[in-house]
Amino acid sequence: MSIDGFPPFIAAQLHYLLNQCTHSIKVDQVWSGSKYPPGLYDRFTLLIPYCLDFIRWDVIYNVEFPLAAPDVIFGPEDEDFHPLSATSGGRGGDLKPFQKSLQDWNYKDPTLLLALIQELRDHYVSYQRKRVGEVDDDRLKFEISTIVSREGIEMHMSSGVEKPEEVKFAVPLLDKNINKMVLGCPWRHQQKMYLQVIYPVSRKYMTAPSAPRLKLMSTPELKALFSVDDVKLPSWVEGMCMAEYLPHLEETLERQVLEAVSLIDVRRRFIETLAPLFGRPVEADSVFCRKATFLAASGAFIFLVHFLVSTQFPKQQPSMILQSTQHFNNHGMPVKSTLLADYPWSPRWEASQMAERIFEFLADESLNFKRYCNESQLQH
């Protein structure tokens, strides 16, 4: 997100917030509340990760009074959230947590906006936990009592006129540093997995409570190593609680993450076996070994072969895209083939045999691709 158009002091604070925050905060929209000076933004909407979703807060500066701290406007669904009010009836709290960020506000200090947002978010976590604790549902009270000691759990109470009351939990899984498992790890943020658990708020007249809705989620970058979409969740047995469910799930995940890390070397060995046939790769993903590009030739026809290797390799065969170095479409882009994934394959083959079969397949496929390139050139 570009921070052009902001006064220098706001730009510095926003830049520090977006680059130093441990949560992946995003700016959704920007606008100006003042005619003077023209063309300068002094307010924006932040998308702040919370409970595996986002909360939207508007941050309002006044460029005509840069010494003043910004106002923060919370979403309409959080009308009872008054963190700065000393008379908020227990749901808001006092001013103490915000003395450093607000009472000692210095617009020249680029770190204070991050401190303010982080303090407000921490207070929001406590506010939502208190709301959930006030729900008149014995099952939910029991669930909370069994997992409240787990670090990092977030809760959210949602209700509305047109939707039923629900309580959502975001439960961090695996107390392990996945980043340290990957050699040369490029991730800036700590990679994590969560179990999203959604309970409908039960009514007293209901009999046996229904199973919660469960969904495994992760930080987006983790997909380069391990996709939670490929994990089959254990069954939720009637009468079970989260404290019983989580250990079995975490045991399964730990085993699969360790396997995913070991498969990096399997993919690396496969890419290395391509080199004697295709030559050194032009480009390769040296961390996760998910991609590699080789220069190939069929007579005078020179083309690139892009290999895309799944995290499920060798169970799932690599797919390929051929790209001509000599043919371009009417937009000036190189002509490419469709995704090629239908060729002889067995996950039980040695890596050298896999490479040889691919080389044989491409010897024939390159002729088809050359013909396709020539025909597409004639059409233009």
Side-chain angles (χ1 to χ4, degrees), residues 70-84:
D71 293 321
V72 181
I73 311 298
F74 310 111
E77 68 279 4
D78 293 317
E79 58 183 17
D80 293 331
F81 180 50
H82 306 297
L84 304 183

Side-chain angles (χ1 to χ4, degrees), residues 24-292:
S24 299
I25 293 179
K26 301 176 183 177
V27 175
D28 184 46
Q29 56 183 352
V30 300
W31 70 100
S32 176
S34 173
K35 296 180 180 178
Y36 307 101
L40 282 180
Y41 300 124
D42 62 352
R43 48 200 66 191
F44 47 88
T45 301
L46 293 178
L47 296 179
I48 302 169
Y50 176 73
C51 206
L52 304 179
D53 204 341
F54 290 95
I55 47 178
R56 299 170 61 93
W57 291 351
D58 294 334
V59 180
I60 311 294
Y61 285 83
N62 188 333
V63 292
E64 297 177 20
F65 300 98
L67 295 177
D71 293 321
V72 181
I73 311 298
F74 310 111
E77 68 279 4
D78 293 317
E79 58 183 17
D80 293 331
F81 180 50
H82 306 297
L84 304 183
S85 170
T87 59
S88 57
R91 279 194 179 172
D94 54 34
L95 193 60
K96 244 182 199 178
F98 309 101
Q99 282 181 350
K100 178 173 174 18
S101 301
L102 292 180
Q103 290 188 332
D104 300 330
W105 183 264
N106 179 355
Y107 78 100
K108 295 180 180 179
D109 186 344
T111 70
L112 290 184
L113 176 62
L114 171 58
L116 173 62
I117 296 301
Q118 186 61 62
E119 288 170 359
L120 287 172
R121 190 188 183 281
D122 291 344
H123 205 79
Y124 188 79
V125 171
S126 301
Y127 159 74
Q128 283 291 347
R129 181 168 291 209
K130 184 172 179 61
R131 286 192 71 202
V132 171
E134 293 172 350
V135 173
D136 186 19
D137 184 322
D138 293 337
R139 180 201 192 179
L140 277 170
K141 291 181 185 296
F142 175 72
E143 289 284 4
I144 294 170
S145 70
T146 64
I147 62 167
V148 70
S149 61
R150 283 183 74 106
E151 188 176 344
I153 286 185
E154 294 182 347
M155 310 176 190
H156 186 265
M157 173 73 188
S158 64
S159 59
V161 178
E162 299 181 356
K163 58 182 180 180
E165 286 187 324
E166 292 181 332
V167 170
K168 177 166 65 175
F169 294 89
V171 185
L173 301 169
L174 288 186
D175 187 19
K176 289 186 177 297
N177 190 330
I178 300 177
N179 293 40
K180 288 186 176 179
M181 296 181 181
V182 179
L183 190 65
C185 173
W187 296 320
R188 189 163 69 92
H189 294 292
Q190 194 70 30
Q191 297 304 299
K192 296 179 181 178
M193 286 182 281
Y194 303 86
L195 181 66
Q196 182 187 76
V197 188
I198 301 178
Y199 287 97
V201 175
S202 301
R203 301 303 173 200
K204 294 297 183 183
Y205 58 80
M206 292 182 67
T207 54
S210 57
R213 302 201 304 275
L214 305 172
K215 185 176 182 181
L216 198 59
M217 302 178 72
S218 74
T219 41
E221 295 93 339
L222 189 61
K223 287 187 177 180
L225 171 70
F226 173 77
S227 176
V228 296
D229 296 336
D230 298 326
V231 177
K232 183 179 180 182
L233 287 172
S235 300
W236 182 281
V237 180
E238 185 177 343
M240 182 179 274
C241 67
M242 265 195 283
E244 297 172 286
Y245 185 82
L246 293 173
H248 179 48
L249 172 60
E250 289 186 308
E251 184 182 324
T252 301
L253 286 176
E254 182 173 3
R255 186 171 61 251
Q256 295 192 20
V257 168
L258 290 172
E259 182 184 358
V261 172
S262 70
L263 286 175
I264 293 177
D265 284 335
V266 175
R267 295 193 293 270
R268 179 176 285 109
R269 287 195 297 272
F270 164 71
I271 292 173
E272 288 171 350
T273 60
L274 294 170
L277 299 169
F278 290 91
R280 290 179 61 86
V282 177
E283 189 176 17
D285 169 14
S286 61
V287 178
F288 301 106
C289 302
R290 298 282 309 277
K291 297 178 181 179

